[in-house]
Amino acid sequence: HGTIGNSFCGSIAGYIKTTEKLELVSCKSSESAAINLTCPAIQTGPYLRFGGLFGYVNIAGLNLQDCINHADIDITIPAEVQTSQLLVGGIAANISSEADVEARIASCVNHGKITIDGQGRFGKNAVSARPNCAGGIVGKCWVQNNAANTTKIVFEDCENNGDIQVV
């Protein structure tokens, strides 16, 4: 038993971070793609971010457009594992933007099924220090250093067709 580091996984990219503007346009996973994970028996867990296309995206000015995910995501976390935070999304697990720069997610579609077996530890029984999040398009969106509350993360014409099951 021990400790493992943070994990980021997506069928296109696991981790993207830049201070420049970035366009991710027409990214697609194949219909046979799948993301399957069973956490090893560890005492203390990492931040886990799993997205159908992108695990972690931190960009100053994101344009994510016309992206389609077909990958099913299946995650099992044994009862003895305590994660710091689990984020799962059909398109991206985590999207964060810098203050004063708009992020735009448009015309993205998820067809993949998301299944999380957390041994009953999610929702009111969660044991993580931070909230666990799952979403058909994005698991968690947030803005860094947004004291003035001026930054927007805009979703336009996105669609989730995949089932989400958390137990």
Side-chain angles (χ1 to χ4, degrees):
H1 294 274
T3 302
I4 63 172
N6 295 333
S7 298
F8 310 97
C9 181
S11 64
I12 302 291
Y15 187 94
I16 300 172
K17 183 174 182 175
T18 180
T19 56
E20 303 296 322
K21 290 185 178 186
L22 182 65
E23 292 191 3
L24 300 169
V25 178
S26 299
C27 298
K28 297 176 183 160
S29 65
S30 74
E31 293 188 27
S32 63
I35 297 171
N36 299 294
L37 169 77
T38 298
C39 281
I42 54 176
Q43 292 175 342
T44 58
Y47 294 98
L48 303 173
R49 294 177 174 100
F50 297 96
L53 299 179
F54 308 103
Y56 177 82
V57 181
N58 180 337
I59 295 172
L62 171 65
N63 180 27
L64 182 63
Q65 185 172 335
D66 297 320
C67 293
I68 300 172
N69 175 53
H70 293 282
D72 290 339
I73 302 171
D74 188 4
I75 298 173
T76 301
I77 302 176
E80 66 274 9
V81 175
Q82 292 185 4
T83 63
S84 296
Q85 185 176 50
L86 174 65
L87 304 177
V88 181
I91 300 296
N94 186 108
I95 291 178
S96 62
S97 181
E98 298 296 327
D100 301 322
V101 182
E102 182 177 290
R104 184 173 171 266
I105 299 97
S107 302
C108 293
V109 180
N110 175 52
H111 296 290
K113 179 180 179 182
I114 297 172
T115 306
I116 302 169
D117 182 354
Q119 311 288 313
R121 293 174 297 130
F122 289 85
K124 67 180 181 179
N125 297 320
V127 294
S128 27
R130 297 178 181 210
N132 299 303
C133 306
I137 301 299
V138 178
K140 179 182 176 183
C141 285
W142 60 290
V143 178
Q144 298 183 22
N145 307 315
N146 194 25
N149 220 10
T150 58
T151 304
K152 292 191 273 183
I153 297 179
V154 178
F155 286 84
E156 297 174 354
D157 300 317
C158 294
E159 182 178 335
N160 178 52
N161 297 312
D163 292 335
I164 301 173
Q165 180 180 12
V166 180
V167 294

